Amino acid sequence: MDAPGAGYAFEYLIETLNDSSRKKFFNVPRLGGTKYDVLPYSIRVLLEAAVRNCDGFLMKKEDVMNILDWKTKQSNVEVPFFPARVLLQDFTGIPAMVDFAAMREAVKILGGDPKKVHPARPTDLTVDHSLQIDFSKCAIQNAPNPGGGDVQKAGKLSPLRAQPKKLPCRGQTTCRGSCDSGEPGRNSGKFSSQIENTPILCPFHLQPVPEPETVLKNQEVEFGRNRERLQFFKWSSRVFKNVAVIPPGTGMAHQVNLEYLSRVVFEEDDLLFPDSVVGTDSHITMVNGLGILGWGVGGIETEAVMLGLPVSLTLPEVVGCELTGSSNPFVTSIDVVLGITKHLRQVGVAGKFVEFFGSGVSQLSIVDRTTIANMCPEYGAILSFFPVDNVTLKHLEHTGFDKAKLKSMETYLKAVKLFRHDQDNSGEPAYSQVIRIHLNSIIASVSGPKRPQDRVAVTDMKRDFQACLNEKVGFKGFQIAAEKQKDNISIHYEGSEYKLSHGSVVMAAVTSCTNNCNPSVMLAAGLLAKKAVDAGLHVKPYIRTSLSPGSGMVTHYLSSSGVLPYLSKLGFEVVGYGCSTCVGNTAPLSEAVLNAVKQGDLVTCGVLSGNKNFEGRLCDCVRANYLASPPLVVAYAIAGTVNIDFQTEPLGTDATGKSIYLQDIWPSREEVHQMEEERVVLSMFKALKEKMEMGNKRWNSLEAPDSVLFPWDLKSTYIRCPSFFDKLTKEPVALQPIENAHVLLYLGDSVTTDHISPAGSIARSSAAAKYLTNRGLTPREFNSYGARRGNDAVMTRGTFANIKLFNKFLGKPAPKTIHFPSGQTLDVFEAAELYQKEGVPLIILAGKKYGSGNSRDWAAKGPYLLGVKAVLAESYEKIHKDHLIGIGIAPLQFLPGENADSLGLSGRETFSLTFPEELSPGVTLTIKTSTGKVFTVIASFENDVEVTLYKHGGLLNFVARKFS
């Protein structure tokens, strides 16, 4: 809910954009002058949001000035941040939307208009995180999936059972190609001109075919299993403003966020401001590669933003990462991304912002940037920010951004100094720390010859292979006698004579493993093949070559970019879409090759772009196996040996006898990026946009109510109106004392949110299982706690249901506690239920770092519904402490140096305390026990906003009263 007067304190900074659009914006640079100019770009985004939302309560002038003084205040102050939008995925989105639905009920009961209850910020919810695999097919060597075969036979598909081998495409009705001719692997030479919205192609004709039956069957089961939730989501998208639901079958949260939802610059009522996002997914950080500030947070923080409140964060240190120099020859995008990631992990950037600058940034494509940003969990940073620059604008143009909006965006970003200029190094921000990565320090490498962890620089390949011949038999050695290392054996193959020697490549495969996730490396292989063919180079026919992409989409973009015929001409023809050569599923080598290997006891080689290369894995007669990027696989196949120095030895000669070196045909990063943007990105975004506009047939036909209030189904075990608002009054009542509270649990140090609210499967003996069984469900239908987050009855019973929970009352791990009035040992829920019937309030005793681990909203909601009024701990994980306040539980803290043991507390006493009328941040409170002990604790509220929320009984009550 927007605070009244937001931004008015700095209204004088509002200006009109100097272009034809006449849109308005806050000209924040005027506020800070030179102070602003040295701020990191990511901090400038925080500052703009603070200025725009400054209302004197949720965002104070002091907060704005603290951000402006970032250089001296970093790591020392907490600041609020108002993101522009919210992204939810289904598991964590369902409880948030259920709370909004329940709030409408509460507002109506209080006499307000429930139609006014809407999220304050634009909220996108993607459904595809709930996918569960019920049906699958085993890929069969040289029999690619032709798109599902006969759709009418889909009903015969069995869950998780390999299907009979299907014959290659021969005029099937599902293939729109001409199937009269052609042996497998051959085609008419016609290639698709663009990437269509179809993930699978007929591999023999490169024509799109319907979705495979496994996809259709899985979607059918998903809609059946999740119908209640999907109907609720659809109702939410109809009745709530600012809520958009991305239907099943569209894509995962972070990918759709990157490809479709990102604005880069937001516009509301003709006011422009930077796009920013928080959400319940760790991969939110991916959008920082587009210049959009974003990171993952917990459910209650996300809900707070939806309700118009800010998230709170410690003003972070910002590590500047300067990229300089140019990439070495033969280095791919994957090499660069992994090299930068490794460097950041070694430097140590945990809990900090990372921001990229320097001349080398422009060499990174948007795919590279978003991949680096997405890998924040790998090196511990909160986010890795790439300011918008010309590369970003060009990418957005290729994705179909409106040109007028793009122009206004550029003008605005330059006006507020959020646009990174390639050549201007004079005005770089003053970072907390600067680390420098020279791109030319990142080298191309391969792994082998027997283990994936044994990396070898491509420039050292010849020397290393010769060393392997000399070494004793072991992880790398083959122990070939020195006098036999130059041996070669002649073979006759297809009418020609060839010579095999140690290091000869006899197998080369671009396989369906992880390298194929990044289009740039596959396109690089295709471009290299094209240049090689144009130069008259070829692959010796006895080398077993193959191309088995990760999906039909890879084939499609190789086709649309025009490089697939050249790969085919070198022998890299599409053989299918599954694990093949890397798991030993390859056709045997020719007799001529096998005999030569045996005769000369040769150490021949396989080169593949997979991830496993153990000795004998590909073929028992191929002793040396190297993992390489797709373009290097093609290069070694052309060379015919790994015993080569690419820098000094040619791959072969052209028609005139001129030597052709690898650097002559290696595609530049600019060539690869241009093809990636113009062919792959454009078509992919066009396809996604069409899918978003067309929707999903099942989703479109799904019936859902459109009433103002959600019609709760009392029999539902997935969706239930929670009881958070049961005792809500129109005005907050005075803070009530906690009198004669029993201790529900006596816990130790480092109790995690997973201890408090597990997300996994529901144990058959648990309180939640009893509840579901009583409603007619079988254990197979229990699903998980994560799937049932929309049902407070299940989640409350699941609170403290972790079997690893160590309760000091019991002296052993168990999800149980003691109900002291009766002396019974019960499930935690059953004990809490008895206490509630008796009207007894509850507290929790804990040690250090209570609530550590993942941010989880039900780790606060669950205890609240159990009747817990306060937690008394030595220290808290900050996010969880914020969650406790947000739900209405008092976070109390022992004085420094004190704890339950030092105070002589057993936990079997009852506890009483009174809150002062004027509760303030950090106030001390007095606790009295039934045994006569009196001691002082700290009320761990950090600011006036937290105090206000607690007085209202939590965030939900606070906002509900605003609507009433």
Side-chain angles (χ1 to χ4, degrees):
M1 193 169 179
D2 289 329
Y8 287 178
F10 297 96
E11 192 174 14
Y12 67 93
L13 294 177
I14 297 178
E15 295 184 6
T16 301
L17 197 64
N18 187 25
D19 70 352
S20 58
S21 70
R22 310 302 294 170
K23 300 185 187 302
K24 298 184 181 300
F25 69 101
F26 281 88
N27 191 355
V28 183
R30 283 176 49 199
L31 176 68
T34 55
K35 276 189 178 181
Y36 183 90
D37 292 341
V38 298
L39 289 178
Y41 288 87
S42 50
I43 301 299
R44 296 178 196 182
V45 176
L46 293 180
L47 180 60
E48 192 282 337
V51 167
R52 180 168 35 86
N53 291 283
C54 185
D55 64 347
F57 176 58
L58 296 176
M59 180 71 74
K60 299 179 179 179
K61 275 191 175 182
E62 178 186 359
D63 297 318
V64 175
M65 292 302 130
N66 280 339
I67 299 173
L68 184 61
D69 292 332
W70 167 84
K71 193 171 181 180
T72 58
K73 297 295 180 66
Q74 57 183 289
S75 302
N76 295 319
V77 296
E78 291 278 327
V79 294
F81 172 54
F82 285 90
R85 58 188 173 93
V86 169
L87 180 67
L88 303 172
Q89 43 99 334
D90 56 347
F91 268 16
T92 49
I94 193 91
M97 298 315 303
V98 165
D99 287 349
F100 269 91
M103 189 180 293
R104 283 197 161 196
E105 301 272 357
V107 168
K108 182 181 180 182
I109 291 172
L110 292 180
D113 183 0
K115 291 182 181 178
K116 292 182 179 179
V117 178
H118 301 283
R121 301 307 311 156
T123 301
D124 299 298
L125 191 153
T126 63
V127 180
D128 271 350
H129 265 65
S130 66
L131 179 64
Q132 181 173 316
I133 299 173
D134 296 280
F135 296 87
S136 67
K137 284 185 176 182
C138 290
I140 300 173
Q141 163 71 10
N142 289 332
N145 181 357
D150 300 322
V151 176
Q152 66 267 27
K153 295 180 181 179
K156 296 182 180 179
L157 194 65
S158 299
L160 302 177
R161 183 181 300 167
Q163 299 303 300
K165 181 174 178 178
K166 294 191 175 183
L167 294 174
C169 178
R170 289 289 190 274
Q172 293 176 343
T173 56
T174 52
C175 175
R176 287 178 272 173
S178 174
C179 301
D180 297 332
S181 66
E183 60 196 278
R186 304 298 177 187
N187 57 74
S188 61
K190 296 181 180 179
F191 295 92
S192 173
S193 60
Q194 65 176 23
I195 297 174
E196 301 178 36
N197 187 22
T198 305
I200 298 295
L201 309 176
C202 168
F204 305 117
H205 303 96
L206 304 175
Q207 296 295 325
V209 296
E211 290 184 280
E213 56 193 288
T214 49
V215 173
L216 299 175
K217 290 294 290 183
N218 275 310
Q219 286 186 358
E220 183 180 336
V221 173
E222 279 295 304
F223 268 79
R225 177 190 294 119
N226 296 305
R227 179 170 294 275
E228 286 183 55
R229 289 194 296 157
L230 294 175
Q231 287 176 325
F232 176 75
F233 285 146
K234 193 161 188 178
W235 172 81
S236 299
S237 67
R238 285 178 172 177
V239 303
F240 289 119
K241 296 177 183 176
N242 284 336
V243 172
V245 175
I246 313 304
T250 306
M252 295 187 72
H254 49 281
Q255 203 66 35
V256 173
N257 183 30
L258 179 71
E259 297 174 358
Y260 186 79
L261 303 175
S262 296
R263 282 83 154 174
V264 183
V265 170
F266 237 88
E267 180 181 337
E268 284 185 1
D269 300 325
D270 289 332
L271 180 70
L272 300 176
F273 53 92
D275 189 4
S276 57
V277 59
V278 295
T280 53
D281 186 85
S282 61
H283 297 288
I284 295 289
T285 55
M286 182 182 280
V287 297
N288 290 278
L290 275 177
I292 299 170
L293 199 70
W295 65 91
V297 296
I300 288 184
E301 296 105 312
T302 305
E303 212 166 320
V305 175
M306 294 171 66
L307 291 166
L309 275 70
V311 293
S312 179
L313 74 157
T314 302
L315 198 59
E317 294 181 40
V318 183
V319 176
C321 183
E322 183 179 14
L323 302 181
T324 59
S326 300
S327 299
N328 281 313
F330 321 140
V331 166
T332 66
S333 290
I334 288 179
D335 294 319
V336 173
V337 168
L338 293 181
I340 291 173
T341 299
K342 179 181 178 182
H343 195 93
L344 290 173
R345 186 166 56 241
Q346 291 172 338
V347 168
V349 292
K352 303 174 184 178
F353 284 10
V354 174
E355 190 168 292
F356 290 86
F357 71 102
S359 58
V361 174
S362 298
Q363 296 187 42
L364 300 182
S365 69
I366 293 300
V367 172
D368 297 337
R369 298 178 188 191
T370 54
T371 304
I372 293 168
N374 189 44
M375 294 182 78
C376 280
E378 291 290 323
Y379 45 87
I382 298 173
L383 55 87
S384 285
F385 192 74
F386 290 84
V388 175
D389 60 7
N390 288 321
V391 174
T392 316
L393 294 181
K394 190 173 293 186
H395 170 81
L396 294 173
E397 183 180 353
H398 289 148
T399 64
F401 244 70
D402 180 81
K403 290 187 177 181
K405 287 186 177 180
L406 207 56
K407 186 61 180 174
S408 293
M409 177 193 301
E410 182 178 0
T411 304
Y412 165 71
L413 291 172
K414 288 179 177 178
V416 294
K417 300 182 180 179
L418 284 173
F419 190 90
R420 190 188 73 84
H421 295 275
D422 293 337
Q423 305 301 325
D424 184 17
N425 292 324
S426 59
E428 295 296 356
Y431 293 107
S432 312
Q433 172 189 358
V434 173
I435 59 175
R436 291 177 174 83
I437 300 177
H438 299 283
L439 293 180
N440 55 10
S441 68
I442 299 172
I443 58 174
S445 62
V446 298
S447 294
K450 300 182 182 183
R451 302 187 304 175
Q453 63 264 43
D454 295 326
R455 294 175 66 84
V456 183
V458 172
T459 51
D460 291 337
M461 183 64 161
K462 183 171 185 176
R463 181 196 58 77
D464 188 81
F465 180 74
Q466 290 172 344
C468 290
L469 294 180
N470 287 316
E471 285 185 24
K472 291 182 179 180
V473 174
F475 290 133
K476 294 198 69 170
F478 298 102
Q479 201 169 352
I480 303 297
E483 65 272 15
K484 293 187 175 183
Q485 291 181 14
K486 302 295 185 181
D487 288 356
N488 57 70
I489 306 295
S490 296
I491 66 167
H492 288 82
Y493 190 82
E494 293 185 354
S496 298
E497 183 177 343
Y498 303 93
K499 292 186 182 296
L500 291 185
S501 59
H502 296 292
S504 288
V505 173
V506 295
M507 197 175 292
V510 176
T511 69
S512 60
C513 295
T514 51
N515 275 341
N516 296 9
C517 296
N518 190 323
S520 64
V521 291
M522 294 299 290
L523 292 171
L527 284 169
L528 187 143
K530 180 181 184 301
K531 292 187 175 188
V533 171
D534 290 344
L537 300 177
H538 62 276
V539 174
K540 295 177 178 67
Y542 61 80
I543 298 176
R544 185 69 67 186
T545 53
S546 62
L547 170 61
S548 51
S551 73
M553 180 60 77
V554 179
T555 307
H556 217 124
Y557 66 65
L558 290 176
S559 169
S560 69
S561 58
V563 297
L564 193 57
Y566 298 96
L567 284 165
S568 180
K569 193 160 186 177
L570 292 180
F572 291 93
E573 296 180 326
V574 176
V575 297
Y577 298 96
C579 292
S580 53
T581 307
C582 56
V583 294
N585 289 346
T586 187
L589 299 175
S590 70
E591 285 295 325
V593 172
L594 291 174
N595 290 336
V597 171
K598 185 176 181 180
Q599 178 185 340
D601 190 26
L602 300 178
V603 179
T604 54
C605 302
V607 187
L608 69 155
S609 64
N611 58 9
K612 290 182 176 66
N613 62 332
F614 305 118
E615 188 173 13
R617 184 180 178 91
L618 307 191
C619 176
D620 57 8
C621 57
V622 180
R623 295 158 67 183
N625 301 302
Y626 288 92
L627 304 180
S629 65
L632 282 174
V633 171
V634 177
Y636 279 112
I638 295 170
T641 180
V642 299
N643 197 14
I644 182 175
D645 182 347
F646 282 139
Q647 294 182 306
T648 60
E649 298 177 62
L651 293 172
T653 58
D654 63 13
T656 65
K658 177 186 175 184
S659 294
I660 305 296
Y661 293 84
L662 182 55
Q663 55 262 38
D664 297 330
I665 62 171
W666 189 270
S668 67
R669 287 175 60 80
E670 290 73 22
E671 288 178 278
V672 175
H673 290 169
Q674 182 177 356
M675 179 171 284
E676 185 176 45
E677 287 285 342
E678 294 180 357
R679 299 299 183 95
V680 181
V681 171
L682 177 60
S683 298
M684 286 175 67
F685 277 76
K686 181 180 178 182
L688 178 62
K689 185 176 181 180
E690 289 174 355
K691 181 179 281 190
M692 293 288 293
E693 291 172 352
M694 291 171 59
N696 180 295
K697 287 184 180 180
R698 288 190 178 88
W699 174 262
N700 294 341
S701 62
L702 183 69
E703 295 182 359
D706 54 9
S707 53
V708 173
L709 301 178
F710 184 71
W712 306 98
D713 181 358
L714 298 180
K715 296 180 181 179
S716 174
T717 57
Y718 276 104
I719 307 290
R720 209 178 92 117
C721 185
S723 54
F724 301 128
F725 303 103
D726 285 358
K727 297 179 182 179
L728 182 66
T729 57
K730 194 152 191 174
E731 296 295 332
V733 298
L735 290 176
Q736 300 298 305
I738 299 175
E739 296 180 333
N740 300 317
H742 267 290
V743 176
L744 179 62
L745 292 157
Y746 183 7
L747 306 172
D749 296 340
S750 301
V751 173
T752 69
T753 52
D754 197 59
H755 287 124
I756 304 169
S757 182
S761 59
I762 298 172
R764 295 189 180 194
S765 60
S766 65
K770 295 173 188 175
Y771 168 84
L772 295 172
T773 300
N774 289 338
R775 277 150 186 77
L777 274 66
T778 64
R780 185 172 181 175
E781 297 170 309
F782 287 173
N783 214 320
S784 66
Y785 287 112
R788 293 191 181 274
R789 288 178 180 174
N791 187 321
D792 65 310
V794 172
M795 297 306 294
T796 305
R797 285 164 173 80
T799 303
F800 297 112
N802 192 314
I803 61 172
K804 299 293 185 182
L805 181 73
F806 188 89
N807 183 0
K808 292 186 179 182
F809 290 148
L810 304 179
K812 62 180 181 179
K816 295 182 180 296
T817 193
I818 298 174
H819 176 253
F820 288 108
S822 68
Q824 298 179 79
T825 298
L826 302 169
D827 286 337
V828 175
F829 171 78
E830 292 171 346
E833 191 176 37
L834 275 180
Y835 280 126
Q836 289 200 38
K837 287 178 181 178
E838 296 161 354
V840 176
L842 299 171
I843 67 169
I844 291 170
L845 283 182
K848 300 181 181 70
K849 296 183 179 179
Y850 179 77
S852 57
N854 293 331
S855 176
R856 191 166 292 170
D857 57 340
W858 271 105
K861 290 178 176 178
Y864 173 81
L865 293 179
L866 288 177
V868 173
K869 303 299 182 183
V871 176
L872 177 54
E874 291 181 64
S875 64
Y876 294 88
E877 180 77 21
K878 185 186 183 309
I879 290 177
H880 183 65
K881 180 172 71 69
D882 294 345
H883 283 187
L884 293 175
I885 297 169
I887 201 63
I889 295 176
L892 308 178
Q893 194 164 336
F894 290 106
L895 294 178
E898 293 185 353
N899 55 39
D901 288 337
S902 69
L903 294 171
L905 303 175
S906 68
R908 297 173 181 268
E909 315 92 336
T910 59
F911 295 72
S912 300
L913 75 152
T914 302
F915 294 98
E917 288 187 16
E918 295 300 322
L919 185 64
S920 59
V923 67
T924 56
L925 305 174
T926 299
I927 291 182
K928 299 178 181 179
T929 72
S930 56
T931 59
K933 282 187 173 26
V934 179
F935 59 98
T936 302
V937 298
I938 301 167
S940 194
F941 302 105
E942 296 185 15
N943 51 55
D944 292 336
V945 173
E946 290 186 350
V947 171
T948 299
L949 292 179
Y950 180 72
K951 284 182 175 180
H952 276 267
L955 168 67
L956 296 173
N957 289 349
F958 172 76
V959 175
R961 291 188 174 104
K962 293 285 185 181
F963 283 123
S964 301

